Amino acid sequence: RMYKQRFLVSSGTSLLSVKASEIAYFFSVEKSVFMMTNAGKSYDLDYSLDKLETILPDKEFFRVNRQFLVNINAIKRISVLSKSRIKIVLEPDFKEEVFVSNARSREFRLWLDRWVAWAGSISKYKMFLFAFINNFKNVYLIFSVLSCW
């Protein structure tokens, strides 16, 4: 399946091409959708979150609730508040708390589990490089969260 690799966004009078790998998350405010880059810059988009879900790789992006579609590498911390209540802290920070919807919490855990299974299927050498490239924080974070369940 082919996924969207780049997004064209406006920045003042210029157009920028942003790689999907440089996107931390997408969020909606009222009826507008925005992209937040890993560098902390946000851009208005002409896509709905529903459409973005279909054109981005589900191995890397997950729709946590009606307002957010997040990249696994943007998850800085996960707090399990109850069996169906999960709070995530994103990087770059978002001004409000972000919760995985109750309806999606089980699917979110399975998504994390699949990501760990995929990462675990790589040789130790590749896993080390992968963890190093991703600042190691996400691999440690996900393994520690899954060990709590």
Side-chain angles (χ1 to χ4, degrees), residues 23-36:
I23 301 167
Y25 51 89
F26 298 90
F27 62 99
S28 65
V29 176
E30 296 174 15
K31 294 191 179 194
S32 298
V33 174
F34 299 89
M35 160 200 305
M36 178 66 74

Side-chain angles (χ1 to χ4, degrees), residues 1-9 16-23 26 35 45-48 51-58 60-61 69 71:
R1 183 170 156 182
M2 295 295 291
Y3 294 108
K4 191 156 181 68
Q5 299 295 314
R6 294 180 168 273
F7 289 85
L8 201 58
V9 296
L16 302 174
S17 176
V18 179
K19 293 179 187 174
S21 61
E22 296 172 353
I23 301 167
F26 298 90
M35 160 200 305
L45 285 181
D46 287 331
Y47 289 92
S48 69
K51 178 65 177 172
L52 289 167
E53 270 187 288
T54 67
I55 62 175
L56 290 165
D58 58 0
E60 297 162 30
F61 288 89
L69 178 66
N71 184 323

